[in-house]
């Protein structure tokens, strides 16, 4: 499936090919801290199918507790996270941030990672009362 996306301010725009069956929720504590919320929703894409259409992302190298490194790409103007990629050049997959994709409503997660790190209330999120507007 072809997807396209942008950062919040529109400086970074891109497109890529993804498999919608591969959408994941990551509950790791790094994703919680980096996203400022309970989890992050990502979909892998091959580096060869990712095409930056405008702008140049800033890159932050994150080192996990395991020592593994990830390259985190974000907009240098508005701070929107765009993707992560392994720190080494061997892997060719990016983890696109689903919230940046125009097709985000169509991309339903099919798997969760790092469930042991999930916040206790995440499993019951559907039971929390809500409003359709602020």
């Amino acid at each position: 499936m072809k997807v396209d996306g942008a950062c919040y301010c529109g400086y970074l725009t891109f497109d890529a090919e993804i498999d919608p069956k591969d959408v994941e929720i990551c509950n790791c504590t790094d994703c919680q801290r980096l996203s400022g919320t309970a989890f992050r929703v990502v979909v892998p894409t091959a580096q060869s199918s990712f095409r930056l259409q405008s702008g140049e992302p800033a890159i932050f190298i994150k080192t996990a507790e395991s020592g593994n490194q990830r390259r985190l790409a974000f907009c240098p103007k508005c701070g929107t996270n765009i993707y992560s990629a392994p720190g080494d050049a061997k892997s060719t997959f990016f983890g696109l941030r689903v919230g940046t994709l125009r097709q985000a409503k169509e991309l339903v997660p099919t798997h969760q990672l790092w469930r042991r790190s999930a916040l206790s209330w995440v499993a019951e999120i559907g039971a929390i009362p809500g409003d359709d507007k602020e």
Side-chain angles (χ1 to χ4, degrees):
M1 169 181 187
K2 185 157 185 154
V3 293
D4 58 280
C7 64
Y8 186 76
C9 72
Y11 171 71
L12 294 175
T13 59
F14 59 91
D15 59 60
E17 289 286 333
I18 59 122
D19 184 338
K21 294 182 292 229
D22 291 339
V23 178
E24 302 171 328
I25 292 172
C26 184
N27 294 290
C28 80
T29 55
D30 284 347
C31 279
Q32 291 171 14
R33 181 165 292 145
L34 288 162
S35 69
T37 189
F39 52 82
R40 189 184 316 252
V41 182
V42 300
V43 64
T45 186
Q47 184 176 354
S48 61
S49 86
F50 178 85
R51 291 191 179 36
L52 195 59
Q53 299 297 332
S54 69
E56 187 65 36
I59 303 292
F60 174 75
I61 305 295
K62 173 187 80 81
T63 303
E65 186 178 319
S66 66
N68 292 335
Q69 292 187 328
R70 304 274 308 157
R71 292 178 289 134
L72 307 177
F74 60 95
C75 177
K77 296 179 182 274
C78 69
T80 302
N81 290 254
I82 302 296
Y83 66 81
S84 70
D88 63 20
K90 297 175 195 168
S91 180
T92 59
F93 281 91
F94 285 1
L96 292 180
R97 305 323 190 193
V98 169
T100 65
L101 301 175
R102 188 173 54 83
Q103 300 81 3
K105 289 183 179 183
E106 301 168 43
L107 300 174
V108 179
T110 59
H111 184 72
Q112 291 191 59
L113 305 170
W114 292 98
R115 294 272 321 257
R116 71 178 188 203
S117 301
L119 299 179
S120 62
W121 52 265
V122 169
E124 305 300 323
I125 199 166
I128 297 171
D131 296 313
D132 288 338
K133 294 186 176 184
E134 290 184 66

